[in-house]
Amino acid sequence: MAEELKKKVMVSGIQPSGDLHIGNYLGPLRHWPEMIEEFDCYFFLADLHTITVRQEPAVLRRRVLELLAGYIACGLDPEKCTLFIQSHVPAHSLLAWVLDCYTMFGELSRMTQFKDKSARNADNINAGLFTYPVLMAADILLYQPDFVPVGEDQKQHVEICRDIANRFNGVYGDVFKIPEPYIAKVGARIMSLSTPETKMSKSQPEGCVFLMEKPEDIMRKFKRAVTDSDREHCVRYDPSNKPGVANLMQIYAAATGKSYEDIEKEFDGQGYGVFKPAVGEAVVETLRPIREEAERLLKDKAYLQSVYRAGAERARRVAGRTLGKVYKKVGFTEP
């Protein structure tokens, strides 16, 4: 226990807005089990954030459980990290309101993702869409983390979180620890099988391979994967001139541990008709134990409930301490 207390704290949220795919897994997710050995990690399913876009209630509830099962199957051991559902810890919403009052309108109006999401959801530009960076700041600051894992699209959110925390600390003293961005191992950057110039995304299902897909569907997608118009059908790593082949090589390398040089030698003179099914088979075998374990977990609803309830209980204790300190500082009467 003493060793665990010495660990640095890390927090990260995951939106249950879609199914996990190989871009998620072969990218950062494969490295998360290493993180929970090194850090005291809090991972939450960000259902509060998800409803800035309209959701089908039954689908959202199903996706939360599927995502929880998927992350456990990928190696996030609930005994070694705190896994919980965001809406089960009321302190997230309560702190967000306080922090709203210490966040400037101009700061929020400059957020890139607000502009992007507003453009995509012009009929539903709601207040939650505008203020969700403040909720994200509350998500982070409640757990007094040392680090927050960030990708390119999240740097701005960590920056505004730090600005809000510094502003609050400037008024009331050292209430919040100022978190540092943590540049996680990103792994492979997987592109779409149908449009290899764009990143793999659940919004393009025909070019996206999902972790829970049937093996025959995975094989079909790889056999149809876009390669190039090269008459030689040569398997060579050349991202500029052969982006489709380079993407397939990257997937195969991530799934098998082989180097690009080894892959070129393995498929020398064999063409894409042999190469593409081989990549598909490697992915099927990589995902098989994850899919089977996730399917097993989804049949055990009692176990999944025990995981997210235990996680929420621990999260509520930690978050409650921070919220209590904040309430006292701003002058709220002790309940």
Side-chain angles (χ1 to χ4, degrees), residues 47-114:
D47 53 347
L48 295 176
H49 285 288
T50 305
I51 64 168
T52 58
V53 177
R54 295 288 175 262
Q55 302 290 327
E56 187 68 38
V59 173
L60 178 57
R61 280 189 286 270
R62 173 176 57 80
R63 279 182 170 163
V64 166
L65 287 182
E66 287 178 348
L67 196 59
L68 179 62
Y71 275 93
I72 296 172
C74 286
L76 290 187
D77 185 346
E79 298 295 322
K80 296 181 178 180
C81 64
T82 303
L83 288 169
F84 64 98
I85 298 170
Q86 184 187 25
S87 62
H88 292 185
V89 184
H92 287 247
S93 301
L94 295 170
L95 181 60
W97 170 250
V98 176
L99 297 183
D100 270 333
C101 302
Y102 293 82
T103 306
M104 301 301 109
F105 185 89
E107 289 176 309
L108 294 176
S109 64
R110 290 192 292 272
M111 297 299 289
T112 304
Q113 285 202 17
F114 171 69

Side-chain angles (χ1 to χ4, degrees), residues 22 26 30 187-193 196 200 222 225-228 230 233-269 271-272 274-280 282-283 286:
I22 61 168
L26 297 178
R30 269 206 306 190
R189 188 170 188 267
I190 305 302
M191 311 304 278
S192 168
L193 298 185
M200 184 174 285
F222 274 101
V226 170
T227 48
D228 57 44
D230 187 340
H233 285 199
C234 175
V235 177
R236 185 178 73 252
Y237 190 73
D238 184 356
S240 298
N241 299 308
K242 299 163 76 76
V245 175
N247 185 45
L248 290 172
M249 289 181 70
Q250 184 169 224
I251 293 171
Y252 192 66
T256 64
K258 296 179 180 180
S259 69
Y260 295 142
E261 184 180 359
D262 289 340
I263 296 168
E264 289 175 2
K265 289 178 182 177
E266 181 179 352
F267 295 98
D268 183 27
Y272 302 152
V274 174
F275 176 54
K276 292 197 288 185
V279 181
V283 170
T286 298

Side-chain angles (χ1 to χ4, degrees), residues 146-159:
D146 298 277
F147 299 106
V148 182
V150 292
E152 285 298 322
D153 59 339
Q154 295 295 329
K155 285 182 179 178
Q156 199 178 24
H157 291 105
V158 177
E159 288 168 4

